Amino acid sequence: MVSSPHEAMHRVFQEYPELFARVSEVLGVGFKPPTSITVLPNDLTETSPVERRVDTLVRLEMADDEPLLLAVEAQGKKDPAKPASWAYYASYLLTKYQLQPVLLVVCQDRATAEWADRPVSFGPPQWPTLTLRPLVAGPHNMPLMTDPTEVRKDVALATLAAITHGKNPDIGVVLKAMTTALVDTPDAVKNPVIEFISQGLGKLPAAALWRKLVAVDLSFYKSPLFEEIRDEARVEGRAEGRAEGETHRAAEDVLAVLAERGIDVPEEARERITDCDDPEILRRWLRRAVTAPTAEDIFRDE
């Protein structure tokens, strides 16, 4: 299981072989879907003591073209030393495998993505020896997929897009579209998506919202994330009484989502939420809290 946002941003390409072709299409570069994918060792260390590892390295077999080497790097912040390392990766891979390398950098931060997107030349300005041009996927160019229909058409791309947009103010709508699309999706497709997004959001505020949406919309989902949520519910339920604990916790979830989105909750609305003892109504309010423009809008038609 992936263990951090860094891991999720590159290992998703191992889980979904077709993802690079879709990402490259979004970025305006035409790569055909691979016919097969082989995950290669990511250790690029030579006999020297300097250790070098690319995040994910895969060989993409193409129907009518030569195979490609795809090196995926997850980049969390600007690092002036990285372009030189990336240039080394590309040269080393070309030398070792005799295949053309493509470097894809995945970012969650717009400033970092725009920094990584700039070509970098090496050598004197009057005659550069080589120029590094990575493909970059980030919040500046990944689609903001808020329609469940669009998510269903390309779950792999939607997963990566949700991770890269983890800091977007509209992430609640994106995550809601994901869980809506996943409700009727087979477990073999659903389970990796839930885990990748959970880990990809890391400690961002959106991670807590994702956990709540998974618990409400995908209540029968079984995974480490589900077990963690269930265990938390058991502990609190024993302390306060099962029924009372569930409604109290559900009311807190509604208020937490509104607070996370910066929505002001008048005292009258707050009392109505905390006084509600119907779990089904609270679940309905929680779903509405993800996108409602005001606190009062979660009560519409009631």
PDB file of all heavy atoms in Angstrom, residues 1-16 19 108 156 159-160 162-163 189-202 210 221 225:
ATOM      1  N   MET A   1       0.850  -1.193   0.000  1.00  0.00           N
ATOM      2  CA  MET A   1       0.000   0.000   0.000  1.00  0.00           C
ATOM      3  C   MET A   1       0.883   1.239   0.000  1.00  0.00           C
ATOM      4  O   MET A   1       1.927   1.278   0.639  1.00  0.00           O
ATOM      5  CB  MET A   1      -0.909   0.007   1.224  1.00  0.00           C
ATOM      6  CG  MET A   1      -1.924   1.136   1.200  1.00  0.00           C
ATOM      7  SD  MET A   1      -2.987   1.118   2.665  1.00  0.00           S
ATOM      8  CE  MET A   1      -1.854   1.757   3.890  1.00  0.00           C
ATOM      9  N   VAL A   2       0.493   2.249  -0.755  1.00  0.00           N
ATOM     10  CA  VAL A   2       1.263   3.476  -0.791  1.00  0.00           C
ATOM     11  C   VAL A   2       1.260   4.130   0.579  1.00  0.00           C
ATOM     12  O   VAL A   2       0.359   3.946   1.376  1.00  0.00           O
ATOM     13  CB  VAL A   2       0.689   4.446  -1.844  1.00  0.00           C
ATOM     14  CG1 VAL A   2       0.923   3.897  -3.228  1.00  0.00           C
ATOM     15  CG2 VAL A   2      -0.787   4.683  -1.622  1.00  0.00           C
ATOM     16  N   SER A   3       2.291   4.931   0.862  1.00  0.00           N
ATOM     17  CA  SER A   3       2.449   5.425   2.225  1.00  0.00           C
ATOM     18  C   SER A   3       2.572   6.935   2.326  1.00  0.00           C
ATOM     19  O   SER A   3       2.772   7.448   3.397  1.00  0.00           O
ATOM     20  CB  SER A   3       3.689   4.781   2.855  1.00  0.00           C
ATOM     21  OG  SER A   3       4.849   5.090   2.100  1.00  0.00           O
ATOM     22  N   SER A   4       2.504   7.680   1.215  1.00  0.00           N
ATOM     23  CA  SER A   4       2.638   9.120   1.308  1.00  0.00           C
ATOM     24  C   SER A   4       2.156   9.750   0.019  1.00  0.00           C
ATOM     25  O   SER A   4       2.018   9.077  -1.007  1.00  0.00           O
ATOM     26  CB  SER A   4       4.111   9.505   1.544  1.00  0.00           C
ATOM     27  OG  SER A   4       4.871   9.245   0.366  1.00  0.00           O
ATOM     28  N   PRO A   5       1.884  11.091   0.019  1.00  0.00           N
ATOM     29  CA  PRO A   5       1.514  11.758  -1.218  1.00  0.00           C
ATOM     30  C   PRO A   5       2.567  11.573  -2.302  1.00  0.00           C
ATOM     31  O   PRO A   5       2.244  11.404  -3.476  1.00  0.00           O
ATOM     32  CB  PRO A   5       1.393  13.233  -0.789  1.00  0.00           C
ATOM     33  CG  PRO A   5       1.058  13.175   0.657  1.00  0.00           C
ATOM     34  CD  PRO A   5       1.805  11.977   1.190  1.00  0.00           C
ATOM     35  N   HIS A   6       3.842  11.604  -1.905  1.00  0.00           N
ATOM     36  CA  HIS A   6       4.925  11.421  -2.864  1.00  0.00           C
ATOM     37  C   HIS A   6       4.781  10.084  -3.571  1.00  0.00           C
ATOM     38  O   HIS A   6       4.881   9.987  -4.803  1.00  0.00           O
ATOM     39  CB  HIS A   6       6.269  11.496  -2.125  1.00  0.00           C
ATOM     40  CG  HIS A   6       7.462  11.371  -3.020  1.00  0.00           C
ATOM     41  ND1 HIS A   6       8.161  12.453  -3.468  1.00  0.00           N
ATOM     42  CD2 HIS A   6       8.079  10.285  -3.552  1.00  0.00           C
ATOM     43  CE1 HIS A   6       9.153  12.059  -4.230  1.00  0.00           C
ATOM     44  NE2 HIS A   6       9.129  10.723  -4.304  1.00  0.00           N
ATOM     45  N   GLU A   7       4.531   9.017  -2.808  1.00  0.00           N
ATOM     46  CA  GLU A   7       4.392   7.686  -3.384  1.00  0.00           C
ATOM     47  C   GLU A   7       3.184   7.614  -4.310  1.00  0.00           C
ATOM     48  O   GLU A   7       3.244   7.042  -5.402  1.00  0.00           O
ATOM     49  CB  GLU A   7       4.255   6.652  -2.267  1.00  0.00           C
ATOM     50  CG  GLU A   7       5.533   6.421  -1.482  1.00  0.00           C
ATOM     51  CD  GLU A   7       6.534   5.597  -2.269  1.00  0.00           C
ATOM     52  OE1 GLU A   7       6.219   4.447  -2.601  1.00  0.00           O
ATOM     53  OE2 GLU A   7       7.617   6.111  -2.562  1.00  0.00           O
ATOM     54  N   ALA A   8       2.073   8.170  -3.882  1.00  0.00           N
ATOM     55  CA  ALA A   8       0.841   8.070  -4.670  1.00  0.00           C
ATOM     56  C   ALA A   8       0.984   8.745  -6.023  1.00  0.00           C
ATOM     57  O   ALA A   8       0.451   8.257  -7.028  1.00  0.00           O
ATOM     58  CB  ALA A   8      -0.321   8.695  -3.896  1.00  0.00           C
ATOM     59  N   MET A   9       1.699   9.872  -6.083  1.00  0.00           N
ATOM     60  CA  MET A   9       1.788  10.640  -7.324  1.00  0.00           C
ATOM     61  C   MET A   9       2.580   9.932  -8.408  1.00  0.00           C
ATOM     62  O   MET A   9       2.436  10.254  -9.585  1.00  0.00           O
ATOM     63  CB  MET A   9       2.368  12.027  -7.055  1.00  0.00           C
ATOM     64  CG  MET A   9       1.395  12.984  -6.407  1.00  0.00           C
ATOM     65  SD  MET A   9       1.964  14.697  -6.415  1.00  0.00           S
ATOM     66  CE  MET A   9       3.234  14.656  -5.155  1.00  0.00           C
ATOM     67  N   HIS A  10       3.442   8.978  -8.039  1.00  0.00           N
ATOM     68  CA  HIS A  10       4.166   8.271  -9.097  1.00  0.00           C
ATOM     69  C   HIS A  10       3.746   6.821  -9.222  1.00  0.00           C
ATOM     70  O   HIS A  10       3.699   6.261 -10.320  1.00  0.00           O
ATOM     71  CB  HIS A  10       5.687   8.381  -8.908  1.00  0.00           C
ATOM     72  CG  HIS A  10       6.251   7.678  -7.713  1.00  0.00           C
ATOM     73  ND1 HIS A  10       6.604   6.346  -7.748  1.00  0.00           N
ATOM     74  CD2 HIS A  10       6.546   8.112  -6.470  1.00  0.00           C
ATOM     75  CE1 HIS A  10       7.094   5.999  -6.566  1.00  0.00           C
ATOM     76  NE2 HIS A  10       7.054   7.043  -5.764  1.00  0.00           N
ATOM     77  N   ARG A  11       3.359   6.177  -8.112  1.00  0.00           N
ATOM     78  CA  ARG A  11       2.989   4.769  -8.191  1.00  0.00           C
ATOM     79  C   ARG A  11       1.650   4.528  -8.869  1.00  0.00           C
ATOM     80  O   ARG A  11       1.358   3.422  -9.315  1.00  0.00           O
ATOM     81  CB  ARG A  11       2.997   4.142  -6.797  1.00  0.00           C
ATOM     82  CG  ARG A  11       4.412   3.899  -6.269  1.00  0.00           C
ATOM     83  CD  ARG A  11       4.429   3.103  -4.998  1.00  0.00           C
ATOM     84  NE  ARG A  11       3.751   1.825  -5.152  1.00  0.00           N
ATOM     85  CZ  ARG A  11       3.542   0.983  -4.128  1.00  0.00           C
ATOM     86  NH1 ARG A  11       3.955   1.323  -2.912  1.00  0.00           N
ATOM     87  NH2 ARG A  11       2.924  -0.151  -4.321  1.00  0.00           N
ATOM     88  N   VAL A  12       0.844   5.573  -8.989  1.00  0.00           N
ATOM     89  CA  VAL A  12      -0.415   5.432  -9.716  1.00  0.00           C
ATOM     90  C   VAL A  12      -0.149   5.033 -11.169  1.00  0.00           C
ATOM     91  O   VAL A  12      -0.972   4.375 -11.808  1.00  0.00           O
ATOM     92  CB  VAL A  12      -1.229   6.753  -9.632  1.00  0.00           C
ATOM     93  CG1 VAL A  12      -0.529   7.885 -10.335  1.00  0.00           C
ATOM     94  CG2 VAL A  12      -2.640   6.551 -10.171  1.00  0.00           C
ATOM     95  N   PHE A  13       1.026   5.390 -11.692  1.00  0.00           N
ATOM     96  CA  PHE A  13       1.364   5.011 -13.064  1.00  0.00           C
ATOM     97  C   PHE A  13       1.716   3.528 -13.172  1.00  0.00           C
ATOM     98  O   PHE A  13       1.662   2.958 -14.257  1.00  0.00           O
ATOM     99  CB  PHE A  13       2.521   5.874 -13.583  1.00  0.00           C
ATOM    100  CG  PHE A  13       2.113   7.291 -13.865  1.00  0.00           C
ATOM    101  CD1 PHE A  13       2.160   8.255 -12.863  1.00  0.00           C
ATOM    102  CD2 PHE A  13       1.665   7.674 -15.116  1.00  0.00           C
ATOM    103  CE1 PHE A  13       1.762   9.556 -13.107  1.00  0.00           C
ATOM    104  CE2 PHE A  13       1.270   8.971 -15.371  1.00  0.00           C
ATOM    105  CZ  PHE A  13       1.318   9.916 -14.365  1.00  0.00           C
ATOM    106  N   GLN A  14       2.089   2.910 -12.075  1.00  0.00           N
ATOM    107  CA  GLN A  14       2.303   1.473 -12.077  1.00  0.00           C
ATOM    108  C   GLN A  14       0.977   0.722 -12.053  1.00  0.00           C
ATOM    109  O   GLN A  14       0.846  -0.346 -12.650  1.00  0.00           O
ATOM    110  CB  GLN A  14       3.155   1.059 -10.869  1.00  0.00           C
ATOM    111  CG  GLN A  14       4.541   1.702 -10.818  1.00  0.00           C
ATOM    112  CD  GLN A  14       5.312   1.308  -9.581  1.00  0.00           C
ATOM    113  OE1 GLN A  14       5.069   0.259  -8.991  1.00  0.00           O
ATOM    114  NE2 GLN A  14       6.237   2.151  -9.165  1.00  0.00           N
ATOM    115  N   GLU A  15       0.009   1.286 -11.360  1.00  0.00           N
ATOM    116  CA  GLU A  15      -1.296   0.632 -11.221  1.00  0.00           C
ATOM    117  C   GLU A  15      -2.104   0.721 -12.510  1.00  0.00           C
ATOM    118  O   GLU A  15      -2.846  -0.196 -12.852  1.00  0.00           O
ATOM    119  CB  GLU A  15      -2.073   1.286 -10.075  1.00  0.00           C
ATOM    120  CG  GLU A  15      -3.434   0.676  -9.812  1.00  0.00           C
ATOM    121  CD  GLU A  15      -3.336  -0.666  -9.105  1.00  0.00           C
ATOM    122  OE1 GLU A  15      -2.307  -0.932  -8.431  1.00  0.00           O
ATOM    123  OE2 GLU A  15      -4.282  -1.452  -9.248  1.00  0.00           O
ATOM    124  N   TYR A  16      -1.958   1.839 -13.246  1.00  0.00           N
ATOM    125  CA  TYR A  16      -2.765   2.059 -14.443  1.00  0.00           C
ATOM    126  C   TYR A  16      -1.849   2.251 -15.650  1.00  0.00           C
ATOM    127  O   TYR A  16      -1.381   3.363 -15.922  1.00  0.00           O
ATOM    128  CB  TYR A  16      -3.658   3.286 -14.271  1.00  0.00           C
ATOM    129  CG  TYR A  16      -4.551   3.209 -13.055  1.00  0.00           C
ATOM    130  CD1 TYR A  16      -4.306   3.973 -11.911  1.00  0.00           C
ATOM    131  CD2 TYR A  16      -5.640   2.341 -13.033  1.00  0.00           C
ATOM    132  CE1 TYR A  16      -5.120   3.882 -10.801  1.00  0.00           C
ATOM    133  CE2 TYR A  16      -6.463   2.249 -11.917  1.00  0.00           C
ATOM    134  CZ  TYR A  16      -6.198   3.021 -10.816  1.00  0.00           C
ATOM    135  OH  TYR A  16      -7.007   2.932  -9.706  1.00  0.00           O
ATOM    136  N   LEU A  19      -2.425   5.203 -18.133  1.00  0.00           N
ATOM    137  CA  LEU A  19      -2.540   6.559 -17.613  1.00  0.00           C
ATOM    138  C   LEU A  19      -1.610   7.535 -18.322  1.00  0.00           C
ATOM    139  O   LEU A  19      -1.995   8.670 -18.596  1.00  0.00           O
ATOM    140  CB  LEU A  19      -2.266   6.566 -16.107  1.00  0.00           C
ATOM    141  CG  LEU A  19      -2.313   7.933 -15.407  1.00  0.00           C
ATOM    142  CD1 LEU A  19      -3.656   8.613 -15.649  1.00  0.00           C
ATOM    143  CD2 LEU A  19      -2.064   7.774 -13.911  1.00  0.00           C
ATOM    144  N   GLN A 108       1.848  18.686  -6.818  1.00  0.00           N
ATOM    145  CA  GLN A 108       0.606  19.055  -6.152  1.00  0.00           C
ATOM    146  C   GLN A 108       0.515  20.564  -5.937  1.00  0.00           C
ATOM    147  O   GLN A 108      -0.540  21.067  -5.573  1.00  0.00           O
ATOM    148  CB  GLN A 108       0.527  18.342  -4.795  1.00  0.00           C
ATOM    149  CG  GLN A 108      -0.727  17.559  -4.572  1.00  0.00           C
ATOM    150  CD  GLN A 108      -0.688  16.768  -3.285  1.00  0.00           C
ATOM    151  OE1 GLN A 108       0.294  16.780  -2.542  1.00  0.00           O
ATOM    152  NE2 GLN A 108      -1.757  16.068  -2.994  1.00  0.00           N
ATOM    153  N   ALA A 156      -8.630   6.400 -13.943  1.00  0.00           N
ATOM    154  CA  ALA A 156      -7.206   6.571 -13.650  1.00  0.00           C
ATOM    155  C   ALA A 156      -6.800   8.040 -13.711  1.00  0.00           C
ATOM    156  O   ALA A 156      -6.132   8.557 -12.812  1.00  0.00           O
ATOM    157  CB  ALA A 156      -6.366   5.747 -14.625  1.00  0.00           C
ATOM    158  N   THR A 159      -8.235   9.986 -10.844  1.00  0.00           N
ATOM    159  CA  THR A 159      -7.510   9.744  -9.595  1.00  0.00           C
ATOM    160  C   THR A 159      -6.290  10.649  -9.493  1.00  0.00           C
ATOM    161  O   THR A 159      -6.071  11.313  -8.478  1.00  0.00           O
ATOM    162  CB  THR A 159      -7.077   8.269  -9.514  1.00  0.00           C
ATOM    163  OG1 THR A 159      -8.231   7.434  -9.552  1.00  0.00           O
ATOM    164  CG2 THR A 159      -6.299   8.001  -8.236  1.00  0.00           C
ATOM    165  N   LEU A 160      -5.483  10.677 -10.551  1.00  0.00           N
ATOM    166  CA  LEU A 160      -4.306  11.548 -10.547  1.00  0.00           C
ATOM    167  C   LEU A 160      -4.726  13.009 -10.439  1.00  0.00           C
ATOM    168  O   LEU A 160      -4.109  13.786  -9.694  1.00  0.00           O
ATOM    169  CB  LEU A 160      -3.477  11.324 -11.810  1.00  0.00           C
ATOM    170  CG  LEU A 160      -2.203  12.177 -11.909  1.00  0.00           C
ATOM    171  CD1 LEU A 160      -1.193  11.778 -10.843  1.00  0.00           C
ATOM    172  CD2 LEU A 160      -1.587  12.080 -13.298  1.00  0.00           C
ATOM    173  N   ALA A 162      -7.371  14.295  -9.044  1.00  0.00           N
ATOM    174  CA  ALA A 162      -7.828  14.603  -7.686  1.00  0.00           C
ATOM    175  C   ALA A 162      -6.645  14.823  -6.756  1.00  0.00           C
ATOM    176  O   ALA A 162      -6.662  15.723  -5.898  1.00  0.00           O
ATOM    177  CB  ALA A 162      -8.709  13.468  -7.167  1.00  0.00           C
ATOM    178  N   ILE A 163      -5.607  14.021  -6.914  1.00  0.00           N
ATOM    179  CA  ILE A 163      -4.411  14.172  -6.071  1.00  0.00           C
ATOM    180  C   ILE A 163      -3.706  15.490  -6.358  1.00  0.00           C
ATOM    181  O   ILE A 163      -3.330  16.229  -5.444  1.00  0.00           O
ATOM    182  CB  ILE A 163      -3.456  12.987  -6.281  1.00  0.00           C
ATOM    183  CG1 ILE A 163      -4.098  11.695  -5.760  1.00  0.00           C
ATOM    184  CG2 ILE A 163      -2.118  13.237  -5.574  1.00  0.00           C
ATOM    185  CD1 ILE A 163      -3.316  10.447  -6.101  1.00  0.00           C
ATOM    186  N   VAL A 189     -11.597  -2.096  -9.156  1.00  0.00           N
ATOM    187  CA  VAL A 189     -11.319  -0.732  -9.633  1.00  0.00           C
ATOM    188  C   VAL A 189     -11.391   0.252  -8.476  1.00  0.00           C
ATOM    189  O   VAL A 189     -10.557   1.145  -8.332  1.00  0.00           O
ATOM    190  CB  VAL A 189     -12.327  -0.333 -10.733  1.00  0.00           C
ATOM    191  CG1 VAL A 189     -12.113   1.119 -11.164  1.00  0.00           C
ATOM    192  CG2 VAL A 189     -12.198  -1.266 -11.925  1.00  0.00           C
ATOM    193  N   LYS A 190     -12.393   0.075  -7.630  1.00  0.00           N
ATOM    194  CA  LYS A 190     -12.662   1.033  -6.559  1.00  0.00           C
ATOM    195  C   LYS A 190     -11.561   1.070  -5.503  1.00  0.00           C
ATOM    196  O   LYS A 190     -11.119   2.151  -5.086  1.00  0.00           O
ATOM    197  CB  LYS A 190     -13.992   0.647  -5.901  1.00  0.00           C
ATOM    198  CG  LYS A 190     -14.406   1.524  -4.726  1.00  0.00           C
ATOM    199  CD  LYS A 190     -15.604   0.915  -3.994  1.00  0.00           C
ATOM    200  CE  LYS A 190     -16.744   0.598  -4.930  1.00  0.00           C
ATOM    201  NZ  LYS A 190     -17.897  -0.006  -4.232  1.00  0.00           N
ATOM    202  N   ASN A 191     -11.117  -0.089  -5.060  1.00  0.00           N
ATOM    203  CA  ASN A 191     -10.207  -0.139  -3.911  1.00  0.00           C
ATOM    204  C   ASN A 191      -8.890   0.600  -4.122  1.00  0.00           C
ATOM    205  O   ASN A 191      -8.479   1.397  -3.266  1.00  0.00           O
ATOM    206  CB  ASN A 191      -9.948  -1.593  -3.521  1.00  0.00           C
ATOM    207  CG  ASN A 191     -11.211  -2.294  -3.047  1.00  0.00           C
ATOM    208  OD1 ASN A 191     -12.283  -1.691  -3.001  1.00  0.00           O
ATOM    209  ND2 ASN A 191     -11.096  -3.555  -2.704  1.00  0.00           N
ATOM    210  N   PRO A 192      -8.168   0.377  -5.242  1.00  0.00           N
ATOM    211  CA  PRO A 192      -6.930   1.137  -5.425  1.00  0.00           C
ATOM    212  C   PRO A 192      -7.147   2.636  -5.510  1.00  0.00           C
ATOM    213  O   PRO A 192      -6.336   3.417  -5.001  1.00  0.00           O
ATOM    214  CB  PRO A 192      -6.374   0.586  -6.752  1.00  0.00           C
ATOM    215  CG  PRO A 192      -7.027  -0.741  -6.930  1.00  0.00           C
ATOM    216  CD  PRO A 192      -8.391  -0.595  -6.325  1.00  0.00           C
ATOM    217  N   VAL A 193      -8.253   3.057  -6.120  1.00  0.00           N
ATOM    218  CA  VAL A 193      -8.543   4.490  -6.246  1.00  0.00           C
ATOM    219  C   VAL A 193      -8.698   5.132  -4.872  1.00  0.00           C
ATOM    220  O   VAL A 193      -8.118   6.188  -4.583  1.00  0.00           O
ATOM    221  CB  VAL A 193      -9.817   4.718  -7.086  1.00  0.00           C
ATOM    222  CG1 VAL A 193     -10.248   6.183  -7.024  1.00  0.00           C
ATOM    223  CG2 VAL A 193      -9.582   4.302  -8.526  1.00  0.00           C
ATOM    224  N   ILE A 194      -9.464   4.487  -3.998  1.00  0.00           N
ATOM    225  CA  ILE A 194      -9.694   5.028  -2.662  1.00  0.00           C
ATOM    226  C   ILE A 194      -8.378   5.160  -1.903  1.00  0.00           C
ATOM    227  O   ILE A 194      -8.115   6.175  -1.247  1.00  0.00           O
ATOM    228  CB  ILE A 194     -10.693   4.145  -1.890  1.00  0.00           C
ATOM    229  CG1 ILE A 194     -12.080   4.245  -2.526  1.00  0.00           C
ATOM    230  CG2 ILE A 194     -10.765   4.555  -0.423  1.00  0.00           C
ATOM    231  CD1 ILE A 194     -13.119   3.325  -1.933  1.00  0.00           C
ATOM    232  N   GLU A 195      -7.535   4.142  -1.997  1.00  0.00           N
ATOM    233  CA  GLU A 195      -6.263   4.180  -1.268  1.00  0.00           C
ATOM    234  C   GLU A 195      -5.304   5.216  -1.848  1.00  0.00           C
ATOM    235  O   GLU A 195      -4.637   5.947  -1.105  1.00  0.00           O
ATOM    236  CB  GLU A 195      -5.614   2.792  -1.286  1.00  0.00           C
ATOM    237  CG  GLU A 195      -6.400   1.742  -0.529  1.00  0.00           C
ATOM    238  CD  GLU A 195      -6.590   2.101   0.940  1.00  0.00           C
ATOM    239  OE1 GLU A 195      -5.689   2.708   1.537  1.00  0.00           O
ATOM    240  OE2 GLU A 195      -7.657   1.785   1.480  1.00  0.00           O
ATOM    241  N   PHE A 196      -5.217   5.292  -3.177  1.00  0.00           N
ATOM    242  CA  PHE A 196      -4.322   6.268  -3.795  1.00  0.00           C
ATOM    243  C   PHE A 196      -4.708   7.696  -3.406  1.00  0.00           C
ATOM    244  O   PHE A 196      -3.851   8.511  -3.055  1.00  0.00           O
ATOM    245  CB  PHE A 196      -4.331   6.133  -5.322  1.00  0.00           C
ATOM    246  CG  PHE A 196      -3.332   5.145  -5.853  1.00  0.00           C
ATOM    247  CD1 PHE A 196      -3.745   4.063  -6.591  1.00  0.00           C
ATOM    248  CD2 PHE A 196      -1.977   5.304  -5.612  1.00  0.00           C
ATOM    249  CE1 PHE A 196      -2.839   3.144  -7.076  1.00  0.00           C
ATOM    250  CE2 PHE A 196      -1.056   4.395  -6.089  1.00  0.00           C
ATOM    251  CZ  PHE A 196      -1.489   3.305  -6.832  1.00  0.00           C
ATOM    252  N   ILE A 197      -5.996   8.015  -3.477  1.00  0.00           N
ATOM    253  CA  ILE A 197      -6.422   9.376  -3.139  1.00  0.00           C
ATOM    254  C   ILE A 197      -6.211   9.643  -1.654  1.00  0.00           C
ATOM    255  O   ILE A 197      -5.748  10.726  -1.265  1.00  0.00           O
ATOM    256  CB  ILE A 197      -7.888   9.594  -3.541  1.00  0.00           C
ATOM    257  CG1 ILE A 197      -8.026   9.542  -5.063  1.00  0.00           C
ATOM    258  CG2 ILE A 197      -8.401  10.936  -3.009  1.00  0.00           C
ATOM    259  CD1 ILE A 197      -9.445   9.720  -5.568  1.00  0.00           C
ATOM    260  N   SER A 198      -6.520   8.666  -0.813  1.00  0.00           N
ATOM    261  CA  SER A 198      -6.327   8.849   0.622  1.00  0.00           C
ATOM    262  C   SER A 198      -4.877   9.172   0.952  1.00  0.00           C
ATOM    263  O   SER A 198      -4.573  10.121   1.683  1.00  0.00           O
ATOM    264  CB  SER A 198      -6.767   7.583   1.369  1.00  0.00           C
ATOM    265  OG  SER A 198      -6.506   7.706   2.752  1.00  0.00           O
ATOM    266  N   GLN A 199      -3.973   8.392   0.395  1.00  0.00           N
ATOM    267  CA  GLN A 199      -2.557   8.619   0.670  1.00  0.00           C
ATOM    268  C   GLN A 199      -2.029   9.834  -0.087  1.00  0.00           C
ATOM    269  O   GLN A 199      -1.164  10.560   0.406  1.00  0.00           O
ATOM    270  CB  GLN A 199      -1.747   7.374   0.302  1.00  0.00           C
ATOM    271  CG  GLN A 199      -2.146   6.121   1.083  1.00  0.00           C
ATOM    272  CD  GLN A 199      -1.925   6.267   2.564  1.00  0.00           C
ATOM    273  OE1 GLN A 199      -1.121   7.077   2.993  1.00  0.00           O
ATOM    274  NE2 GLN A 199      -2.655   5.493   3.355  1.00  0.00           N
ATOM    275  N   GLY A 200      -2.546  10.070  -1.289  1.00  0.00           N
ATOM    276  CA  GLY A 200      -2.079  11.205  -2.079  1.00  0.00           C
ATOM    277  C   GLY A 200      -2.418  12.544  -1.443  1.00  0.00           C
ATOM    278  O   GLY A 200      -1.677  13.514  -1.602  1.00  0.00           O
ATOM    279  N   LEU A 201      -3.520  12.603  -0.718  1.00  0.00           N
ATOM    280  CA  LEU A 201      -3.892  13.858  -0.049  1.00  0.00           C
ATOM    281  C   LEU A 201      -3.106  14.066   1.235  1.00  0.00           C
ATOM    282  O   LEU A 201      -3.071  15.179   1.771  1.00  0.00           O
ATOM    283  CB  LEU A 201      -5.396  13.873   0.239  1.00  0.00           C
ATOM    284  CG  LEU A 201      -6.293  13.897  -0.989  1.00  0.00           C
ATOM    285  CD1 LEU A 201      -7.766  13.828  -0.579  1.00  0.00           C
ATOM    286  CD2 LEU A 201      -6.042  15.132  -1.848  1.00  0.00           C
ATOM    287  N   GLY A 202      -2.500  12.996   1.749  1.00  0.00           N
ATOM    288  CA  GLY A 202      -1.613  13.122   2.898  1.00  0.00           C
ATOM    289  C   GLY A 202      -2.240  13.828   4.084  1.00  0.00           C
ATOM    290  O   GLY A 202      -3.285  13.425   4.577  1.00  0.00           O
ATOM    291  N   TRP A 210     -12.158  13.555   2.434  1.00  0.00           N
ATOM    292  CA  TRP A 210     -12.183  12.317   1.652  1.00  0.00           C
ATOM    293  C   TRP A 210     -12.575  11.132   2.536  1.00  0.00           C
ATOM    294  O   TRP A 210     -13.384  10.298   2.137  1.00  0.00           O
ATOM    295  CB  TRP A 210     -10.826  12.087   1.007  1.00  0.00           C
ATOM    296  CG  TRP A 210     -10.694  10.804   0.242  1.00  0.00           C
ATOM    297  CD1 TRP A 210      -9.872   9.755   0.511  1.00  0.00           C
ATOM    298  CD2 TRP A 210     -11.422  10.424  -0.940  1.00  0.00           C
ATOM    299  NE1 TRP A 210     -10.029   8.753  -0.408  1.00  0.00           N
ATOM    300  CE2 TRP A 210     -10.982   9.143  -1.321  1.00  0.00           C
ATOM    301  CE3 TRP A 210     -12.407  11.050  -1.711  1.00  0.00           C
ATOM    302  CZ2 TRP A 210     -11.487   8.467  -2.431  1.00  0.00           C
ATOM    303  CZ3 TRP A 210     -12.919  10.391  -2.823  1.00  0.00           C
ATOM    304  CH2 TRP A 210     -12.456   9.119  -3.169  1.00  0.00           C
ATOM    305  N   TYR A 221     -17.353  -0.323   1.762  1.00  0.00           N
ATOM    306  CA  TYR A 221     -15.978  -0.496   1.311  1.00  0.00           C
ATOM    307  C   TYR A 221     -15.118  -1.098   2.420  1.00  0.00           C
ATOM    308  O   TYR A 221     -15.191  -0.699   3.560  1.00  0.00           O
ATOM    309  CB  TYR A 221     -15.405   0.861   0.887  1.00  0.00           C
ATOM    310  CG  TYR A 221     -13.929   0.845   0.607  1.00  0.00           C
ATOM    311  CD1 TYR A 221     -13.418   0.087  -0.424  1.00  0.00           C
ATOM    312  CD2 TYR A 221     -13.053   1.575   1.402  1.00  0.00           C
ATOM    313  CE1 TYR A 221     -12.063   0.070  -0.677  1.00  0.00           C
ATOM    314  CE2 TYR A 221     -11.701   1.560   1.158  1.00  0.00           C
ATOM    315  CZ  TYR A 221     -11.216   0.813   0.111  1.00  0.00           C
ATOM    316  OH  TYR A 221      -9.869   0.785  -0.137  1.00  0.00           O
ATOM    317  N   LEU A 225      -8.218   1.830   5.112  1.00  0.00           N
ATOM    318  CA  LEU A 225      -8.839   3.118   5.427  1.00  0.00           C
ATOM    319  C   LEU A 225     -10.185   2.906   6.091  1.00  0.00           C
ATOM    320  O   LEU A 225     -10.510   3.537   7.102  1.00  0.00           O
ATOM    321  CB  LEU A 225      -9.004   3.943   4.142  1.00  0.00           C
ATOM    322  CG  LEU A 225      -9.742   5.279   4.289  1.00  0.00           C
ATOM    323  CD1 LEU A 225      -8.991   6.205   5.229  1.00  0.00           C
ATOM    324  CD2 LEU A 225      -9.950   5.918   2.925  1.00  0.00           C
TER     325      LEU A 225
END
